[in-house]
Amino acid sequence: MARHLLYVQAEASRAPSVLGVMEEQGLHPLVLRSGADEIYLVVPVDTAEADRLLALLKPVLGPEDWMALDTPAWTFPEAAEEEHEEPTPAEELERELASVSKLTPWYLFLTAASATIAFAGLVRDDALLVLASMIIAPLMGPLMGLGFGLLWRHRRLTAQAALTALTGAALAWGVAWLLARSLAAFVAIEPGTQLIARSAPNLFDLALALVTGAVGAYSFIRGQGQTLVGVMVAIALLPPLVASGIFAALGWLGPATGALYLFTINAAALLFTAGVGYAVRFRISARRFWPLGTLLVVLAVLLWWSSRAGFWTAHL
């Protein structure tokens, strides 16, 4: 801010008035010379104060008194803006994942739309329709955010992503159940190849989910688009959810449970490999994701046992 020096010379009798005006303005002048006849003083003022002070002093000065305002004498630096440190790659990734993990009307719409298209594809045994549903399924974002939140122990992101993922899963399952109940009232639904494929999970599905999680984490770390990875994740998540809803609506509890279990173990595999990818990228101790690893091992053992026993298809 620019500062000026205001010089004032006034008769000694007018000194109290001059000093009073300055004190009212919160200014403290320096008296350079004071005598029986006159007083000579100087006071620093900024540009905004100068005109106002000159206007206030003019009425109290006599015809022989004078004021002089010099050019800016010095400049005080403006208050420095707070320095904003550049976000680290982890912080940038956290912001991106927080954004895609939000529960928004658009997320709910895409979930319901993709579940509807997947329903049509599974019931009609049309692989192209199932593929179309995979393209718009938004389930990848919150799961990738959940894996990051668990790894970094970020409670807010973890809670937000978990709520979004569970809400999306419940919505997809509910849409499929409602559509199947409505359609079954008019025509018989016979399980085709696409539907049966999601009723009996096996270790191959687990391997696919592991690879998908790794690619998903890599995609977000590299800041690449989600289109291709979204398709891969949808392969492991959306169709099993929709298949489970269809089977449940038809009263086939074995396949319904199998499809839901397929979704659960695929989600766990995605979280695990996403966590590993984040840990490798940001050099985080492996001890942080051992709970996910333990959960994945338990689910894999149960998957191996159930697939050998043929439990899921027993009631078809």
Side-chain angles (χ1 to χ4, degrees):
M1 164 185 317
R3 301 286 282 181
H4 302 267
L5 291 178
L6 175 63
Y7 298 93
V8 180
Q9 179 176 309
E11 292 183 8
S13 61
R14 294 189 177 90
S17 299
V18 173
L19 294 173
V21 170
M22 293 187 178
E23 288 178 2
E24 288 178 359
Q25 300 303 310
L27 301 174
H28 305 284
L30 175 64
V31 178
L32 299 179
R33 185 174 68 248
S34 177
D37 298 327
E38 62 183 15
I39 185 173
Y40 184 56
L41 53 85
V42 62
V43 61
V45 293
D46 61 34
T47 303
E49 296 173 330
D51 292 338
R52 182 174 68 252
L53 185 58
L54 290 172
L56 293 172
L57 287 174
K58 188 174 182 180
V60 302
L61 296 178
E64 302 298 326
D65 301 331
W66 57 270
M67 297 181 291
L69 188 68
D70 71 351
T71 55
W74 65 89
T75 300
F76 289 120
E78 297 287 347
E81 296 183 2
E82 294 183 6
E83 294 185 1
H84 297 285
E85 295 183 357
E86 289 295 324
T88 65
E91 291 171 337
E92 292 180 352
L93 179 59
E94 178 185 335
R95 282 204 296 265
E96 180 182 358
L97 290 172
S99 176
V100 298
S101 298
K102 291 180 179 178
L103 185 59
T104 62
W106 180 243
Y107 171 84
L108 296 176
F109 171 76
L110 286 181
T111 300
S114 60
T116 302
I117 297 173
F119 170 83
L122 292 173
V123 170
R124 295 177 57 182
D125 202 23
D126 189 333
L128 290 179
L129 283 178
V130 176
L131 178 61
S133 72
M134 297 171 185
I135 295 175
I136 63 173
L139 298 176
M140 175 185 66
L143 279 174
M144 293 296 103
L146 181 57
F148 187 89
L150 290 172
L151 182 66
W152 285 88
R153 298 174 183 172
H154 193 305
R155 293 183 179 180
R156 182 176 180 181
L157 178 57
T158 300
Q160 173 182 300
L163 174 62
T164 303
L166 289 175
T167 301
L171 177 61
W173 193 96
V175 167
W177 184 89
L178 182 61
L179 291 174
R181 291 285 291 183
S182 301
L183 183 61
F186 301 99
V187 296
I189 299 178
E190 297 294 336
T193 303
Q194 292 293 322
L195 197 54
I196 294 175
R198 274 82 185 184
S199 67
N202 53 52
L203 293 178
F204 175 79
D205 297 306
L206 174 61
L208 175 61
L210 288 170
V211 174
T212 300
V215 176
Y218 179 81
S219 173
F220 275 102
I221 290 171
R222 299 289 296 178
Q224 297 175 352
Q226 302 180 32
T227 303
L228 177 60
V229 181
V231 173
M232 297 178 65
V233 173
I235 292 173
L237 295 175
L238 182 67
L241 273 176
V242 175
S244 177
I246 294 172
F247 284 129
L250 299 178
W252 298 331
L253 298 184
T257 307
L260 189 59
Y261 190 85
L262 174 59
F263 164 78
T264 302
I265 195 167
N266 284 344
L270 287 168
L271 290 176
F272 176 77
T273 48
V276 172
Y278 297 143
V280 171
R281 170 62 179 85
F282 301 114
R283 300 179 181 179
I284 301 174
S285 171
R287 291 178 297 178
R288 289 203 181 185
F289 55 86
W290 71 262
L292 280 176
T294 303
L295 173 63
L296 183 62
V297 170
V298 172
L299 291 174
V301 171
L302 290 175
L303 176 62
W304 172 79
W305 172 80
S306 59
S307 61
R308 285 177 58 88
F311 174 76
W312 311 123
T313 58
H315 302 290
L316 270 177

